[in-house]
Amino acid sequence: MSLVLDPAAQDLLFREARTANTFTDEPVTDEQLQAIYDLVKYGPTAFNQSPLRITLVRSAEARERLVQHMAEGNQPKTSTAPLVAILSADNEFHEELPELFPHFPQAKDVFFSERPAREGAAGLNAALQAAYFIIGVRAAGLAAGPMTGLDFEGVRKEFLDDDHTPLMVVNIGKPGEDAWFPRSPRLSYDEVVTTV
């Protein structure tokens, strides 16, 4: 059985898409980010909880503060990307559930009244949304450079608050010169899928 999605779109989103390590200086606009979010917000999460929060780092001063918290090898990429996003999980996402999950507004209190339950759910579902975000960046014709080589606690203290847990930093823009490392291998279907 073949996929319904056009092969060119499959290539854009998956087969030809790569993690960019260099970028041109072409800016990424607020309109592009709005279009990306307006697409990826429809990706599913449990209870429609939508805990992902996106902090865009645009100013030179904020960029400098962020670079100090990146691993040494990631600092040049974050310094030169046209736009950088800090993706985090909102551990107080449950406050939005009466609006986001209106057919069962009690979910806020029934399942998420305790902070540890919220943190676990927020981390998992925000990670799902982060993946959707990366695919959305690709759908916009841009490259994403997601990174977890960073001082998470430093980023949280510098840019977030105690109710938000940083997940990753994503550099965004048009790929520059020598943007790609060689493609790493992938596991085969038979290595991943088990039928019981």
Side-chain angles (χ1 to χ4, degrees):
M1 177 179 166
S2 62
L3 299 174
V4 174
L5 188 66
D6 178 80
Q10 294 174 40
D11 288 343
L12 177 71
L13 299 179
F14 293 100
R15 286 192 290 261
E16 299 299 323
R18 307 287 289 284
T19 295
N21 295 291
T22 66
F23 296 90
T24 70
D25 58 4
E26 183 178 329
V28 177
T29 67
D30 289 333
E31 292 77 18
Q32 286 172 301
L33 261 294
Q34 178 78 53
I36 291 166
Y37 179 74
D38 286 342
L39 174 65
V40 303
K41 69 183 179 184
Y42 294 107
T45 58
F47 294 95
N48 197 34
Q49 59 190 245
S50 307
L52 181 70
R53 300 296 179 263
I54 303 165
T55 303
L56 298 178
V57 181
R58 286 204 181 272
S59 73
E61 178 269 332
R63 180 78 61 106
E64 195 172 296
R65 287 170 30 223
L66 177 59
V67 167
Q68 293 173 17
H69 297 290
M70 301 304 295
E72 186 177 343
N74 291 334
Q75 290 179 354
K77 302 177 221 181
T78 300
S79 293
T80 57
L83 181 63
V84 181
I86 301 168
L87 304 187
S88 64
D90 181 358
N91 296 307
E92 297 298 311
F93 69 87
H94 68 305
E95 297 295 344
E96 309 292 338
L97 283 182
E99 179 184 345
L100 294 175
F101 206 61
H103 53 282
F104 185 36
Q106 310 91 303
K108 171 188 173 195
D109 299 314
V110 172
F111 296 107
F112 302 111
S113 61
E114 300 294 324
R115 177 74 179 228
R118 290 197 306 273
E119 288 178 351
L124 172 63
N125 288 280
L128 281 173
Q129 289 186 285
Y132 304 146
F133 180 78
I134 292 165
I135 299 300
V137 168
R138 293 171 174 180
L142 301 169
M147 299 175 297
T148 56
L150 56 112
D151 172 5
F152 285 91
E153 184 59 16
V155 168
R156 188 194 61 73
K157 286 181 179 176
E158 192 79 40
F159 293 95
L160 306 170
D161 59 32
D162 289 340
D163 289 332
H164 293 80
T165 303
L167 301 172
M168 66 184 68
V169 168
V170 182
N171 297 324
I172 304 168
K174 293 283 188 180
E177 239 180 274
D178 299 319
W180 323 117
F181 293 142
R183 166 95 56 203
S184 296
R186 298 297 193 267
L187 295 174
S188 71
Y189 178 86
D190 292 334
E191 293 172 298
V192 172
V193 176
T194 302
T195 303
V196 294

